[in-house]
Amino acid sequence: NADGYLKEDNLVSSYALTWVQPSISGPDRPDDALVQYAQVIITTKTARLTVAVGDFVYVSPGEDGPVEIGQVESLFDAGPDEDNAMMFEVRWLFRKEHMKGAIARSMHQRELLLSAKNKQPDKNYIDAIEWKVNVLLHVDAETAGPNLEVPHTFFCNQIYNPATKRITLLPPP
């Protein structure tokens, strides 16, 4: 739904995944053998969605509840050892439900905290992507104003480091 919760049980979908854009070389990637792409098209019976590196997406949690929200950091073919699986690396965003104590109490319902950069980004199968999300960066609830009434819209102006439990402001764009 518009708040990012899965509501349907036993959802079975038929879809096709198609790489688009030329592959991207990865000079700062430790494994340059992976073929990287700029975009992927996800086609279902009722929708066609183009997801690009940098987009914010809902990621299926595998069960009912709030879908996870992440930023696509790379799209890649996992190679022959992984049956050429279509995958993506993600940088997670934390919802109010993920936080505890004073941090959770101080958060707006539509506020997200960007996770600190991880040396080993999480990898997921592209078919875990549910839909794109609009995340307004570098704004607070007051600045976002009526934009937060638009379905699938959140805001983020802080980074959360789970290891240190510290919150810092997003660096300027």
Side-chain angles (χ1 to χ4, degrees):
N1 67 15
D3 292 321
Y5 287 82
L6 290 177
K7 293 291 185 184
E8 299 182 56
D9 291 327
N10 301 323
L11 182 64
V12 178
S13 62
S14 173
Y15 58 86
L17 303 172
T18 308
W19 291 125
V20 292
Q21 301 292 331
S23 62
I24 302 169
S25 61
D28 44 334
R29 290 188 56 81
D31 184 0
D32 286 326
L34 297 178
V35 179
Q36 295 186 50
Y37 295 87
Q39 298 178 337
V40 63
I41 297 174
I42 303 169
T43 306
T44 68
K45 291 179 184 177
T46 59
R48 180 181 167 115
L49 178 68
T50 300
V51 175
V53 171
D55 284 348
F56 293 95
V57 294
Y58 286 130
V59 180
S60 175
E63 57 189 53
D64 282 349
V67 289
E68 302 296 334
I69 297 175
Q71 184 175 29
V72 176
E73 291 200 315
S74 69
L75 297 161
F76 61 95
D77 180 318
D81 291 344
E82 297 288 332
D83 294 326
N84 294 93
M86 298 173 83
M87 300 188 78
F88 69 105
E89 289 181 338
V90 63
R91 185 173 179 185
W92 296 110
L93 289 102
F94 297 100
R95 292 172 175 250
K96 184 175 185 167
E97 296 92 40
H98 297 126
M99 307 311 293
K100 295 178 181 169
I103 294 173
R105 285 190 300 276
S106 69
M107 288 178 71
H108 184 279
Q109 194 60 34
R110 293 286 184 145
E111 183 173 8
L112 303 172
L113 301 175
L114 187 63
S115 62
K117 281 273 190 181
N118 194 345
K119 291 181 183 176
Q120 292 290 94
D122 285 341
K123 296 177 184 175
N124 288 274
Y125 293 100
I126 287 177
D127 60 5
I129 294 174
E130 295 287 333
W131 201 251
K132 286 168 70 167
V133 180
N134 185 26
V135 177
L136 306 171
L137 295 175
H138 305 284
V139 299
D140 58 19
E142 185 178 327
T143 308
N147 290 319
L148 294 180
E149 296 173 21
V150 176
H152 311 290
T153 299
F154 299 85
F155 71 94
C156 176
N157 65 358
Q158 299 178 96
I159 296 172
Y160 175 67
N161 185 330
T164 64
K165 308 277 192 258
R166 294 191 63 204
I167 294 177
T168 57
L169 288 176
L170 277 173

